[in-house]
Amino acid sequence: MQIHGIIHQFPREIKHLIVVFVAALSIGYFGGLSFVNDTTSASSKGIQERYLGNEDDEEATKMMFKKSSGEIKTLVHNHILSLSVIFFLLALILSTTSIGMKLKLFLMIEPFVSVVCTFGGIYLMWTGVTWMKYVVMASGFLMTAVYTTSIIVILQQLYFKRKS
């Protein structure tokens, strides 16, 4: 079965469904990023303090404590499962686009690597491998860049005809 480029032939109601799905998904995704920014200041120090606490910092304006084992395992579990489903659904939609195969495969596969690196990195940082905060930052940034690119590609492909 050939699905490359079939997005251009989807009926109008399926295209509208994809648009509202992507819109709702993006509100949730970028809302989550706003929460991350609020709780970590999008900094390596903020990420480390969020999960390991800052009890030793006498200059801290807000006291934070190390997450418990249950809290960290719940966070990692919930995020890996939910983001995997989100990126799988986006990959299914991306598979129907007419973009180049190498770019398409990258946009479809990379988010799963970033999810594992980001949330596995958070867990490893919590266990004491503090340099993982940099892996968490880099993989989180890459995950967001790929998510944003995927959404732009999907929306562009839905409303602009493929050149013959």
Side-chain angles (χ1 to χ4, degrees):
M1 175 195 300
Q2 174 70 314
I3 60 172
H4 180 79
I6 200 168
I7 195 168
H8 304 288
Q9 299 169 16
F10 285 170
R12 185 179 317 145
E13 62 271 15
I14 298 299
K15 288 182 176 185
H16 291 325
L17 175 65
I18 292 170
V19 168
V20 296
F21 169 71
V22 164
L25 193 61
S26 294
I27 290 168
Y29 189 89
F30 291 112
L33 283 181
S34 175
F35 175 75
V36 168
N37 186 53
D38 290 347
T39 59
T40 68
S41 301
S43 71
S44 59
K45 181 181 178 189
I47 291 169
Q48 185 171 329
E49 286 181 347
R50 175 80 176 144
Y51 301 104
L52 297 178
N54 65 359
E55 300 106 76
D56 297 334
D57 183 1
E58 293 181 16
E59 304 293 320
T61 57
K62 180 180 178 186
M63 183 66 76
M64 300 173 80
F65 299 95
K66 184 175 182 178
K67 300 278 184 234
S68 70
S69 178
E71 288 174 312
I72 204 74
K73 288 176 182 174
T74 298
L75 177 131
V76 169
H77 165 82
N78 289 344
H79 281 84
I80 288 177
L81 286 179
S82 61
L83 287 170
S84 292
V85 171
I86 287 167
F87 285 117
F88 179 74
L89 293 172
L90 278 180
L92 287 177
I93 297 168
L94 274 169
S95 70
T96 67
T97 64
S98 60
I99 63 172
M101 194 55 70
K102 287 183 181 180
L103 175 60
K104 184 188 298 192
L105 283 173
F106 176 77
L107 293 175
M108 291 169 67
I109 302 300
E110 194 290 325
F112 298 101
V113 175
S114 281
V115 165
V116 171
C117 288
T118 301
F119 294 97
I122 288 172
Y123 181 79
L124 289 173
M125 182 183 62
W126 178 82
T127 65
V129 186
T130 56
W131 60 265
M132 287 301 292
K133 62 189 169 191
Y134 301 110
V135 173
V136 170
M137 285 184 72
S139 60
F141 175 80
L142 186 57
M143 183 188 335
T144 300
V146 168
Y147 176 86
T148 304
T149 302
S150 297
I151 296 306
I152 290 168
V153 165
I154 289 168
L155 293 174
Q156 185 270 333
Q157 293 273 302
L158 283 170
Y159 290 106
F160 296 99
K161 294 287 185 198
R162 175 174 55 174
K163 294 178 182 174
S164 300

